[in-house]
Amino acid sequence: MKITRLETILVQPRWLFLKMHTDAGLVGYGEPVVEGRAHTVREAVRELEEYLIGQDPRRIEHHWQAIYRHAFYRGGPVLCSALSGVEQAMWDILGKSLGVPVYQLLGGAVRDRIRMYAHCGGATPEEAASSARARVEAGYTALKTGVGKVPARLVETPAFVEACAARFAAMREAVGPEVDLAIDFHGQISPALAIGLARALEPYHPMFIEEPCLPENVDAMVTVARSTPIPIATGERLFTKWGFRQVLEKQAAAVVQPDLCHAGGILECKKIAAMAECYYAGVAPHNPLGPISLAACLQLDACIPNFLVQEQVSLGEGYLKQPFQLVDGYIELPTAPGLGIELDDAAVAGKTGHAWKNPHVYHEDGSVADW
């Protein structure tokens, strides 16, 4: 079997889909994208054609090594995201060629269904509580929200901390103690402020605090983690197993969040999960992207013992011929070959093209803030 063509499609709202065509008639799906840099990653995928065209797509590890190591300048979001989408597509083809889901090729399923979480929020405590309640009524048993009013200064007022806590408290009261409720600091908070916010949130038992501070300085995150009993989660901006090494070795996080569209693909994230298992850390794959990304995540979630919960923003309605179905907060284990999905090409054709960019965020004094 040979790869004959790599087809990329810009898909609204901010996604990039890949179709890997073969001379056997099999087509593999992948989602190679960096949010706000879809055109850049699209070009990176095109640059991989010279190597990939004519290759057997079933030699997944070999091609991963060649693409990653022969770049000389390794890693980074663009190369790793292009590689991730290509790797997903190769696994899809391999699974389809053998008639089995990808997770069957990675050791088999260790669970029967996969727990999902939804995003919720609102500008006021009342709006946030209403949003959380609506997600629970839709069937979710796990939710995630943000801090609220941002950007934050390096040191904030008591009013800022109290407002964040009041908003989270309203959501906790709205959904009760049986629902998991996480909060994402999105790397917008300084380590010192993160410690103060965490202490204010402790009475409401967050499932985890995501990216309490920026991930470049692992020791800063260790300081935050040691200051609170709330589990710390991080990893959406880390690439490959090497990016997660220090986070795990220094026990900076109790939950790692590799993004299968950024961190190197399905097998690389399984390796990251195995590393995390040694440190008794859970895995909650990051996924604010499209249905191909979700399909790849589900294959990983099915076969790793330390899976915690899966993020998603789309179950595939309007993109897949058979969207995923939520049942009591879970998606049943996929059983179709490969990634287990089929794009609805007619529906996708009506959603092509976008120029989504990351917003520019500024402090009150006009200086640049983290987004």
Side-chain angles (χ1 to χ4, degrees):
M1 191 191 307
K2 305 295 182 185
I3 299 170
T4 58
R5 183 162 65 101
L6 301 180
E7 177 187 2
T8 53
I9 310 165
L10 289 163
V11 179
Q12 298 167 14
R14 61 177 188 175
W15 306 330
L16 181 67
F17 291 173
L18 168 66
K19 290 183 176 182
M20 178 180 286
H21 297 267
T22 69
D23 60 359
L26 294 175
V27 177
Y29 298 133
E31 196 164 335
V33 68
V34 174
E35 299 91 310
R37 294 289 184 269
H39 292 271
T40 309
V41 181
R42 187 181 204 179
E43 181 63 18
V45 172
R46 190 196 63 79
E47 290 176 340
L48 297 178
E49 288 180 339
E50 182 180 0
Y51 169 77
L52 285 170
I53 300 301
Q55 298 278 7
D56 184 340
R58 296 168 295 186
R59 299 185 66 191
I60 300 169
E61 180 70 77
H62 178 74
H63 298 322
W64 195 100
Q65 295 290 330
I67 292 169
Y68 186 82
R69 293 164 62 187
H70 290 168
F72 185 75
Y73 295 100
R74 300 181 179 188
V78 173
L79 172 62
C80 285
S81 298
L83 175 54
S84 296
V86 164
E87 194 260 12
Q88 293 166 7
M90 290 192 289
W91 276 112
D92 193 24
I93 290 169
L94 178 58
K96 288 173 177 175
S97 72
L98 297 173
V100 297
V102 169
Y103 63 77
Q104 293 284 27
L105 305 173
L106 295 172
V110 298
R111 57 185 45 83
D112 301 321
R113 55 182 187 160
I114 297 160
R115 193 181 187 205
M116 311 300 293
Y117 75 82
H119 296 172
C120 58
T124 67
E126 294 76 17
E127 291 174 355
S130 176
S131 174
R133 194 178 298 111
R135 297 293 188 273
V136 171
E137 290 171 354
Y140 292 95
T141 63
L143 312 173
K144 187 173 77 178
T145 189
V147 170
K149 185 180 181 298
V150 287
R153 297 186 291 263
L154 291 173
V155 177
E156 269 293 354
T157 64
F160 179 95
V161 176
E162 291 167 4
C164 175
R167 184 173 171 276
F168 197 87
M171 299 174 76
R172 171 57 72 202
E173 183 178 1
V175 301
E178 298 299 323
V179 172
D180 279 314
L181 184 57
I183 185 166
D184 188 358
F185 286 11
H186 214 250
Q188 296 171 307
I189 307 297
S190 69
L193 180 58
I195 291 170
L197 279 176
R199 287 178 179 170
L201 292 168
E202 284 173 10
Y204 312 109
H205 304 286
M207 178 168 57
F208 57 73
I209 294 174
E210 180 173 336
E211 281 202 325
C213 58
L214 288 168
E216 290 95 340
N217 187 332
V218 176
D219 289 324
M221 194 168 292
V222 170
T223 299
V224 177
R226 297 293 178 271
S227 74
T228 178
I230 301 172
I232 299 303
T234 195
E236 68 184 73
R237 291 188 260 195
L238 302 177
F239 312 106
T240 74
K241 64 182 81 69
W242 292 284
F244 284 82
R245 182 182 64 82
Q246 280 196 326
V247 168
L248 291 166
E249 286 178 352
K250 296 187 175 186
Q251 299 184 56
V255 179
V256 293
Q257 300 171 296
D259 190 310
L260 275 71
C261 294
H262 303 327
I266 296 171
L267 182 56
E268 188 68 5
C269 288
K270 184 171 172 60
K271 295 176 182 180
I272 292 165
M275 291 167 61
E277 189 180 354
C278 295
Y279 294 90
Y280 311 115
V283 180
H286 178 252
N287 175 35
L289 295 170
I292 300 175
S293 173
L294 176 58
C297 287
L298 295 176
Q299 299 297 322
L300 176 70
D301 302 340
C303 65
I304 57 173
N306 50 339
F307 168 72
L308 178 65
V309 67
Q310 178 61 56
E311 180 177 24
Q312 56 78 40
V313 296
S314 169
L315 296 176
E317 300 94 337
Y319 298 93
L320 301 180
K321 288 187 176 180
Q322 292 186 323
F324 295 105
Q325 299 294 319
L326 189 76
V327 179
D328 297 328
Y330 291 80
I331 289 177
E332 296 298 318
L333 197 66
T335 57
L339 296 182
I341 58 171
E342 187 175 357
L343 285 179
D344 185 335
D345 290 326
V348 170
K351 302 181 179 71
T352 58
H354 69 81
W356 192 91
K357 299 295 183 184
N358 294 306
H360 291 277
V361 183
Y362 301 91
H363 290 291
E364 293 174 351
D365 63 2
S367 60
V368 171
D370 291 305
W371 176 75

